[in-house]
Amino acid sequence: MHAAQRLFSHPQYWAECFGTADYLPMSRGEMDQLGWDSCDIIIISGDAYVDHPSFGMAVIGRTWEKQGFRVGIIAQPSWSSKEDFMKLGKPNLFYAVSAGNMDSMINRYTADRKLRHDDAYTPNNEGGKRPDRAVLVYTQRCKEAFSDVPVLVGGIEASLRRIAHYDYWSDKVRRSVLFDSKADLLVYGNAERAVTEIAHRASRGEALKDMLNIRGTASVISELPMDWDIKDSTRIDKPGRVEPMPNPYMYVGEENSDGSSCASQSQVANDQVEEQVIRILPSPGSKQEFILLPSYEKVRNDPVLYAHTSRVLHLETNPANARTLVQKHGDRYLWMNPPAIPLSTEEMDEVFDLPFQRVPHPAYGNARIPAYDMIKFSVNIMRGCFGGCSFCSITEHEGRWIQSRSQDSVIREIEKIRDKTPGFTGTISDLGGPTANMYHLNCKSEEIHAHCRRLSCVYPTICKNLKTDHSATTQLYRRARALPGVKRVMIASGLRYDLAVEDPEYVKELVTHHVGGYLKIAPEHSEDGPLSKMMKPGMGTYDKFKAMFDRFSKEAGKEQYLIPYFIAAHPGTTDEDMMNLALWLKSNGFRADQVQAFYPSPMASATAMYHSERDPLHRVNYKSDKVVIPKGERQRRLHKAFLRYHDPDNWPMLREALERMGKAHLIGYGKKHLVPPTQPANHPSAKKYGSKLNPKGHTGTAHKAKPNLPTGGNRKKAPRKGTVLTQHTGLPPRETGGRIKPKQKRR
Ligand code: SF4
């Protein structure tokens, strides 16, 4: 892989003489106390400022500070005018705009596009403190405040909207956020390396608009460079007629016998065969090359080209072999450099050792910030994910390359929490990251890794080149719980259980010492159709893990439960798939207390499926089979209803669906039935649909169904056998996340 300059080896900017701020200043008064007449960089953030390494803008701000720059932060400004954007004065170098830790649309709306009234990243959980499409709005206000100050955009929202993308909320394909916001430069992914280079180059007088060669950034250009080779993406992963030409994405053995590249059934089957050797064909010539994607106008109007573009983007995410991507918008071009070189363990340690206070800025007083409450006693041990789940955007943002901290660095952070974080009583609530068990796992061979373009290291099966020895994680857990003052160390991040079963010693360690009564895992579905579109393993692996979990729990003398997550209405899911999942849930004694349908987040492969009805996990062309997409409120409600088959509110809809599907034999009072034929006598709908006293003691009555609701104020939920979750938003669990009472629903 290309060498990268060590993150903190740049000569510091002259302003380092001002030293380190206790908190990045949020007011002129704080700047005065620091002796600053101005800020070099001003961060605008959609989240409250929490000086903690789990909050992106704190990490970026502290990174710049370490490089010597004076960094101020304006958190959750009023966006109705430019005034708030001017309160720290004019930045010497640039504004840095981020919507916050989440896309503002996901933060503000539910998967059913309903407005949320709360915001976990805001003091007192108050909603309405950030605008829709925050990157666009904030950038516009910055330009109004000081038209000659450049604007850099970054964070999840900018990162996942960096090329033309399907936007679920407006139900259309939008331009790259760089065009709509008119920002000068965009950073994507974990951006320490890119923002460091940008700030130093800006301090030397270079305009952000002219910085065209920084990894992990995207810019707008008017003309294509003459000294680069152009590769048309439609000729290397062809959506249309086939030309006989080498395909650099081709896995050995992938070629069809007739030389065609159609994504036929046989091709799909071929793609799913595990192949270890990947042949990347060198491109002729020595010039640099970029891939020209179909233009915004084309992908907006052509779903097949949209799916093709999404596929090429996902195949170009390995920092060791990704090429520059270019996409025309009108008469200009989006120029997107390859991803940043991942941080080494030493660099990760340096980032996490930055002088975070680990608490919200004092300006918030005693206000509660739920997202902070959720992570204040937890430690992030790594970044990245090689799982490749198609509904998740982590890969598009953080990449598949795992970047891990050293054990010593993690232990130092636990000691800081123990010694400094208010309210710590001895429990570390999580040692994790995007996935609980990928710490220090990567490809066995750097050379193979550098050439690999597989979308997942664990799907359809675990790649033989993947390290699956979890001993680094096991050792870390042992060291953490042996620390004086630490009573318990919990694992709350999602566990990749198909990977965990490869190392029974790890599972035993986890189950014996780190499960607080229940463990969240994510089979996501029981049926092969939707699972293949999610890139998730089959239920056989779940059963294998459950057997291990039960055995080790018993050996430890503990009563512990698995809490599985499921997604309703994911692309590729039929009504029958949901019915079968409901039957599986019933036969395994699970009852969902919260249900959420698939949420098409920007840039995820599953979102490309949702929009295009094609499968970008395999080569796409105009003859490719269409993917079944549960769309529309009625069908999405039905899929959610199957997950809550025990809720009498859903029985009329489920009965009607079962009859329509020719499955009326599943209506009845017996164990083999999914729903009873009548409503409970005491249910509000009994009059409308008829009722009857339950002759066999069916438990699903309005009185008897026990949603897993907290009672008595903020009492914590007790782990309960049979709990199942389906929420995948990145938001902390709600205190009122249970079943909506019929009376509330009518309002
Ligand atoms: S382990 Fe992952 S990166 Fe390595 S060859 Fe296999 S799929 Fe590729």
Side-chain angles (χ1 to χ4, degrees):
M1 189 155 42
H2 307 255
Q5 180 170 357
R6 180 97 180 230
L7 186 60
F8 293 112
S9 69
H10 297 256
Q12 283 184 307
Y13 187 58
W14 69 265
E16 58 86 20
C17 60
F18 287 100
T20 304
D22 285 346
Y23 294 86
L24 303 180
M26 292 176 69
S27 66
R28 288 302 296 226
E30 290 166 71
M31 286 169 61
D32 291 343
Q33 280 176 11
L34 290 164
W36 301 1
D37 60 346
S38 58
C39 292
D40 300 311
I41 301 162
I42 294 178
I43 293 172
I44 309 289
S45 171
D47 292 340
Y49 168 34
V50 180
D51 197 40
H52 188 284
S54 291
F55 288 76
M57 294 324 290
V59 175
I60 295 302
R62 289 293 186 186
T63 299
W64 274 324
E65 180 188 57
K66 174 88 173 172
Q67 306 287 347
F69 299 99
R70 290 165 294 179
V71 186
I73 183 160
I74 301 176
Q76 301 190 310
S78 163
W79 64 92
S80 57
S81 76
K82 63 184 180 184
E83 305 312 319
D84 253 11
F85 294 75
M86 302 171 78
K87 70 182 188 185
L88 299 185
K90 182 176 176 178
N92 301 322
L93 299 178
F94 53 85
Y95 278 115
V97 164
S98 166
N101 269 12
M102 295 176 72
D103 185 281
S104 58
M105 300 305 282
I106 293 181
N107 178 286
R108 282 176 53 72
Y109 297 91
T110 68
D112 296 323
R113 300 187 181 107
K114 301 226 164 58
L115 187 66
R116 297 183 203 275
H117 297 291
D118 53 5
D119 182 343
Y121 290 86
T122 300
N124 294 323
N125 203 18
E126 203 179 329
K129 293 289 180 186
R130 75 184 76 218
D132 286 359
R133 309 190 191 286
V135 168
L136 305 189
V137 177
Y138 290 162
T139 304
Q140 198 177 341
R141 293 292 170 269
C142 290
K143 293 280 180 190
E144 286 167 16
F146 300 105
S147 59
D148 56 339
V149 174
V151 179
L152 171 70
V153 293
I156 290 273
E157 181 165 310
S159 186
L160 298 185
R161 295 173 182 269
R162 58 188 184 262
I163 64 165
H165 56 281
Y166 173 71
D167 179 83
Y168 172 63
W169 301 269
S170 55
D171 194 23
K172 65 180 189 188
V173 175
R174 294 180 68 100
R175 302 191 298 174
S176 161
V177 72
L178 203 44
F179 285 86
D180 282 348
S181 68
K182 300 187 173 55
D184 296 80
L185 187 62
L186 178 151
V187 276
Y188 68 89
N190 296 125
E192 290 93 342
R193 250 191 234 298
V195 300
T196 295
E197 186 169 348
I198 291 164
H200 283 297
R201 283 168 65 166
S203 73
R204 294 194 291 268
E206 190 172 341
L208 265 61
K209 273 184 185 303
D210 296 338
M211 297 180 192
L212 300 180
N213 59 351
I214 300 176
R215 281 175 163 267
T217 67
S219 325
V220 174
I221 56 172
S222 305
E223 286 178 11
L224 295 175
M226 301 299 288
D227 53 345
W228 286 55
D229 277 335
I230 303 177
K231 276 259 180 280
D232 183 339
S233 74
T234 60
R235 292 176 64 84
I236 53 175
D237 203 67
K238 198 166 178 58
R241 200 168 61 81
V242 177
E243 302 292 339
M245 63 179 297
N247 177 357
Y249 294 156
M250 196 164 275
Y251 293 21
V252 168
E254 195 181 27
E255 300 94 332
N256 293 343
S257 56
D258 62 356
S260 76
S261 61
C262 300
S264 60
Q265 287 304 321
S266 61
Q267 178 63 56
V268 170
N270 210 10
D271 275 0
Q272 289 179 347
V273 171
E274 184 189 14
E275 295 289 356
Q276 306 308 323
V277 182
I278 291 147
R279 181 186 60 183
I280 305 296
L281 300 178
S283 57
S286 56
K287 283 205 282 188
Q288 297 186 84
E289 68 179 21
F290 62 79
I291 295 177
L292 186 62
L293 300 167
S295 68
Y296 156 69
E297 288 76 13
K298 281 188 176 158
V299 299
R300 182 187 58 190
N301 298 325
D302 185 332
V304 173
L305 285 179
Y306 185 90
H308 156 80
T309 303
S310 168
R311 174 169 164 76
V312 171
L313 180 106
H314 284 82
L315 290 167
E316 295 289 341
T317 54
N318 182 346
N321 59 32
R323 288 164 287 185
T324 298
L325 300 177
V326 176
Q327 186 175 46
K328 197 170 185 195
H329 285 58
D331 57 359
R332 291 180 297 162
Y333 299 88
L334 175 75
W335 179 269
M336 197 166 77
N337 290 300
I341 303 295
L343 297 186
S344 65
T345 293
E346 293 73 27
E347 289 171 316
M348 284 284 283
D349 290 356
E350 285 170 345
V351 169
F352 281 87
D353 278 343
L354 291 170
F356 301 102
Q357 296 291 340
R358 305 190 60 82
V359 290
H361 188 279
Y364 301 121
N366 293 325
R368 246 191 84 224
I369 301 176
Y372 166 68
D373 288 347
M374 188 171 82
I375 53 82
K376 64 185 173 185
F377 304 132
S378 75
V379 182
N380 186 349
I381 61 175
M382 43 74 69
R383 290 176 179 171
C385 181
F386 50 68
C389 302
S390 66
F391 50 82
C392 174
S393 305
I394 283 177
T395 308
E396 292 82 348
H397 185 65
E398 298 201 351
R400 272 186 283 280
W401 207 288
I402 302 300
Q403 302 165 70
S404 302
R405 299 168 64 183
S406 69
Q407 287 187 18
D408 287 348
S409 167
V410 174
I411 295 297
R412 274 199 301 279
E413 187 170 344
I414 296 174
E415 288 170 338
K416 271 188 212 158
I417 293 174
R418 179 195 63 193
D419 300 340
K420 291 188 179 164
T421 304
F424 181 68
T425 55
T427 299
I428 294 295
S429 58
D430 188 25
L431 283 188
T435 306
N437 57 322
M438 290 188 183
Y439 181 63
H440 280 292
L441 300 187
N442 258 320
C443 199
K444 284 175 189 162
S445 156
E446 273 191 29
E447 197 186 341
I448 293 174
H449 199 174
H451 287 91
C452 183
R453 289 179 197 269
R454 257 178 71 153
L455 297 176
S456 167
C457 300
V458 288
Y459 184 85
T461 55
I462 292 177
C463 176
K464 291 196 183 86
N465 293 323
L466 184 67
K467 284 182 206 154
T468 56
D469 170 7
H470 289 54
S471 55
T473 319
T474 307
Q475 283 166 15
L476 179 65
Y477 291 177
R478 287 176 185 160
R479 279 186 69 182
R481 66 174 191 266
L483 281 174
V486 174
K487 294 181 201 152
R488 294 198 311 167
V489 177
M490 312 312 300
I491 303 304
S493 294
L495 184 80
R496 190 78 202 199
Y497 58 88
D498 49 342
L499 191 57
V501 295
E502 297 287 309
D503 189 339
E505 187 187 347
Y506 167 74
V507 179
K508 184 172 184 179
E509 191 80 11
L510 174 77
V511 172
T512 308
H513 300 287
H514 303 283
V515 175
Y518 62 95
L519 180 71
K520 290 182 288 182
I521 58 169
E524 310 294 7
H525 217 284
S526 59
E527 302 306 293
D528 288 344
L531 286 171
S532 71
K533 297 293 179 276
M534 298 174 182
M535 294 218 291
K536 293 289 282 184
M539 289 306 275
T541 321
Y542 169 85
D543 293 337
K544 196 171 168 189
F545 179 76
K546 184 173 185 312
M548 267 191 195
F549 180 87
D550 290 345
R551 175 158 63 91
F552 292 135
S553 292
K554 197 172 169 196
E555 282 175 18
K558 293 183 170 179
E559 192 180 340
Q560 305 186 129
Y561 308 110
L562 289 177
I563 298 187
Y565 277 78
F566 294 99
I567 300 181
H570 189 277
T573 311
T574 62
D575 294 352
E576 190 147 341
D577 288 328
M578 288 309 297
M579 179 196 76
N580 288 335
L581 173 55
L583 290 169
W584 184 91
L585 289 171
K586 186 166 188 231
S587 65
N588 285 275
F590 284 117
R591 290 168 163 226
D593 66 345
Q594 296 182 56
V595 170
Q596 184 170 293
F598 166 67
Y599 202 158
S601 56
M603 225 164 130
S605 295
T607 304
M609 268 180 230
Y610 177 88
H611 166 63
S612 67
E613 301 181 3
R614 306 303 195 288
D615 177 5
L617 305 178
H618 303 101
R619 214 177 305 159
V620 184
N621 70 17
Y622 290 103
K623 292 181 189 161
S624 300
D625 290 340
K626 284 197 171 182
V627 178
V628 175
I629 308 291
K631 269 189 185 170
E633 200 186 330
R634 192 171 165 74
Q635 196 179 15
R636 282 166 68 88
R637 267 204 299 135
L638 174 64
H639 282 208
K640 288 200 287 184
F642 271 119
L643 282 180
R644 282 181 54 80
Y645 63 89
H646 52 281
D647 183 346
D649 287 354
N650 294 329
W651 291 349
M653 178 187 255
L654 291 175
R655 281 194 290 263
E656 189 196 316
L658 290 171
E659 276 164 14
R660 177 175 44 77
M661 292 159 68
K663 304 286 180 185
H665 59 278
L666 292 174
I667 302 171
Y669 293 110
K671 274 191 175 171
K672 62 181 196 293
H673 298 121
L674 193 60
V675 289
T678 57
Q679 293 301 95
N682 54 359
H683 192 269
S685 64
K687 208 167 165 190
K688 183 173 173 191
Y689 294 104
S691 72
K692 187 169 144 187
L693 285 179
N694 183 347
K696 293 194 179 171
H698 196 286
T699 55
T701 67
H703 276 320
K704 287 183 181 172
K706 286 185 185 169
N708 197 17
L709 284 170
T711 54
N714 286 341
R715 259 178 58 186
K716 274 188 131 184
K717 291 178 186 182
R720 180 171 59 79
K721 188 178 181 186
T723 301
V724 49
L725 298 171
T726 67
Q727 196 164 29
H728 276 275
T729 57
L731 292 167
R734 288 188 159 75
E735 286 167 3
T736 53
R739 169 179 175 264
I740 299 168
K741 290 177 189 153
K743 207 170 149 199
Q744 291 172 321
K745 200 179 259 182
R746 279 201 299 276
R747 276 207 303 270

